[in-house]
Amino acid sequence: MQARLDIMATELGPKLVKHFVASHRAITETSVPEATLNLVDIRASQINGCAPCLDMHTKEAIAAGETSVRLNLVACWREASVFTEAERAALELAEQGTRLADSAGVDEEVWRNAAKHYDDEQLAALVAQIALINTFNRLNVITRQVGGSYQAGQLG
């Protein structure tokens, strides 16, 4: 498989990615646990079929101490006993926030459940992370970027 476009070889690509990465850094400075952000990234990337993001975020999660059991069960988190109630709320928010075209958006019950576990600052971070990972997913999927070669820590 070969990518359609090397977006980083364009004048625009590095400028965009610089701002996206800065946004991600701001999100990681909040009190949302790193593990939760990783789970959100992985679940959205699974839904969107984004191999480069799955490659990156699973490897980064492993480097941060995530277990293979939890990573292997993200796709079927509802049937798994290894996620906290707060993580489940974040995963459901990520799913509905990723699948906007499949419904009327994020329903009230899902939002209320997330709000039981996260304060407004954390909710803002989760919503921003869901939007950001979906942006990266779309850039990668549209341009057919290839996954498999990412090394944990590669991007700093």
Side-chain angles (χ1 to χ4, degrees):
M1 183 171 179
Q2 187 170 344
R4 288 179 170 155
L5 171 70
D6 180 357
I7 198 163
M8 295 306 285
T10 68
E11 188 176 325
L12 177 62
K15 292 176 188 177
L16 283 175
V17 172
K18 174 184 169 186
H19 292 290
F20 294 159
V21 170
S23 297
H24 177 69
R25 281 195 195 109
I27 294 164
T28 62
E29 291 172 0
T30 69
S31 61
V32 177
E34 179 182 12
T36 301
L37 294 175
N38 285 332
L39 293 172
V40 162
D41 287 344
I42 291 164
R43 186 63 190 126
S45 298
Q46 288 172 335
I47 292 167
N48 290 322
C50 184
C53 287
L54 278 169
D55 186 30
M56 170 192 264
H57 296 296
T58 55
K59 288 174 180 173
E60 291 294 346
I62 291 166
E66 188 58 82
T67 68
S68 60
V69 170
R70 284 169 43 95
L71 290 177
N72 291 335
L73 293 172
V74 172
C76 58
W77 62 268
R78 284 178 180 83
E79 292 80 27
S81 62
V82 296
F83 302 105
T84 68
E85 289 303 312
E87 289 169 337
R88 290 171 175 283
L91 285 163
E92 189 159 31
L93 185 64
E95 284 188 1
Q96 286 199 0
T98 297
R99 292 183 166 136
L100 293 175
D102 296 343
S103 66
V106 175
D107 69 44
E108 285 302 315
E109 181 181 342
V110 169
W111 184 261
R112 280 193 301 272
N113 190 36
K116 284 192 310 191
H117 300 282
Y118 301 100
D119 63 28
D120 285 352
E121 190 72 19
Q122 293 169 321
L123 286 169
L126 283 169
V127 169
Q129 188 62 29
I130 293 163
L132 186 60
I133 191 59
N134 274 280
T135 299
F136 275 117
N137 289 168
R138 281 154 177 74
L139 283 170
N140 287 330
V141 171
I142 291 167
T143 62
R144 289 193 180 156
Q145 298 303 304
V146 179
S149 63
Y150 183 82
Q151 301 294 315
Q154 176 179 324
L155 297 179

